[in-house]
Amino acid sequence: ERNREHAKRSRIRKKFLLESLQQSVALLKEENEKLRTSITQELGEAEASQLLTSQNLVNVAANAAGGGKDLIAHNSNEANKVLDDPDFSFIKALQTAQQNFVVTDPSLPDNPIVYATQGFLNLTGYTLDQVLGRNCRFLQGPETDPKATEKIRKSIEEGTDMSVCLLNYRVDGTTFWNQFFIAALRDASGHITNYVGVQCKVSDQYAANVCKRQDLEAATAAGKTNEDDMDDDGDDDDSDGGGD
């Protein structure tokens, strides 16, 4: 049973990672083209072409990577020993993919953030001091869909992995569409020790398509619930009629 649960969570997480990486690549390509155009306009075609040679870009990337620090150790024996192997692997995958994420601690009041990546801080505009010790709901605002936040609450309550697209707010009040993924992290005994929340900024068009699908799924689920309630009422009526 436990192996089946691991396999199910693994499939959900791999699907999310693939989709979020695809969105990240698409947005990076768009930003890259904008940057290239801006540099060319500023420096001129010849100087810009020299600056943007493949070797120069490789050197810049290598220098940037050299300054980074690992979030956790290279293997489960060196550090985070409380996490079960699949959850440890998931965190490592998030780190490797340079995802924006936070880790929360449900053993503390209001399940506050206890760790946030630099990517999360860059995306939201908050500083580390502003997010540590707070529940993630500060990213919500007036136009955030209550149905989306209810799905998050239910996922935490049930300890299940879940993904939902919703509108979030940066520290300056500007908004962004977030393909949010939440997962419960368990220890070797299967007890939930933390939650990880992953933020993936997506385009308006992508968000519109996903939100439309979410609304259809919600409407279908609500319709099924109403049908089940009606069936239950019908059964009660039959029982009462038989007792007269």
Side-chain angles (χ1 to χ4, degrees):
E1 178 65 29
R2 186 179 176 191
N3 288 337
R4 283 199 296 271
E5 283 298 317
H6 281 168
K8 179 181 178 182
R9 290 203 300 271
S10 179
R11 287 194 300 272
I12 294 173
R13 293 172 181 183
K14 286 178 180 178
K15 180 176 183 292
F16 168 79
L17 282 173
L18 176 60
E19 291 178 347
S20 63
L21 284 174
Q22 289 172 336
Q23 286 300 307
S24 296
V25 169
L27 290 173
L28 283 173
K29 285 182 177 179
E30 183 180 336
E31 291 299 321
N32 184 49
E33 286 304 315
K34 290 179 181 178
L35 182 59
R36 284 176 176 272
T37 300
S38 177
I39 291 174
T40 301
Q41 291 174 345
E42 185 71 24
L43 301 180
E45 187 73 38
E47 190 173 350
S49 296
Q50 183 177 0
L51 177 65
L52 297 172
T53 61
S54 298
Q55 188 55 53
N56 274 344
L57 295 178
V58 168
N59 291 339
V60 170
N63 290 335
K69 294 182 179 180
D70 286 341
L71 168 63
I72 47 181
H74 293 290
N75 63 72
S76 56
N77 293 323
E78 292 179 5
N80 208 332
K81 298 179 181 178
V82 298
L83 289 184
D84 202 4
D85 287 341
D87 290 339
F88 180 89
S89 300
F90 180 53
I91 291 294
K92 284 297 291 182
L94 292 176
Q95 179 195 14
T96 302
Q98 297 183 344
Q99 294 285 341
N100 312 315
F101 67 94
V102 296
V103 177
T104 67
D105 187 345
S107 70
L108 298 176
D110 207 25
N111 192 22
I113 295 172
V114 293
Y115 178 84
T117 65
Q118 187 59 48
F120 172 85
L121 302 177
N122 293 342
L123 174 63
T124 63
Y126 286 91
T127 64
L128 190 60
D129 289 343
Q130 289 176 310
V131 303
L132 290 181
R134 298 178 65 186
N135 185 281
C136 292
R137 70 175 66 91
F138 64 80
L139 294 176
Q140 300 169 17
E143 295 183 37
T144 303
D145 188 352
K147 294 191 296 294
T149 57
E150 175 60 20
K151 287 184 68 174
I152 296 173
R153 186 200 64 77
K154 186 176 180 181
S155 174
I156 293 174
E157 185 178 277
E158 297 177 350
T160 56
D161 292 4
M162 186 277 304
S163 183
V164 65
C165 189
L166 75 166
L167 192 69
N168 276 163
Y169 289 72
R170 299 183 181 90
V171 68
D172 62 3
T174 58
T175 60
F176 66 97
W177 284 104
N178 179 14
Q179 184 64 50
F180 179 70
F181 181 80
I182 188 168
L185 304 180
R186 292 171 168 80
D187 60 20
S189 300
H191 300 128
I192 295 175
T193 60
N194 299 92
Y195 287 93
V196 59
V198 188
Q199 294 76 24
C200 179
K201 181 178 179 292
V202 296
S203 67
D204 291 349
Q205 184 58 54
Y206 178 89
N209 293 335
V210 174
C211 289
K212 183 178 180 180
R213 186 172 71 244
Q214 288 176 176
D215 289 341
L216 288 173
E217 291 173 352
T220 301
K224 186 178 185 306
T225 299
N226 290 336
E227 289 178 3
D228 291 342
D229 290 342
M230 291 177 65
D231 290 342
D232 290 341
D233 290 342
D235 292 342
D236 290 343
D237 291 343
D238 291 342
S239 297
D240 292 341
D244 289 338

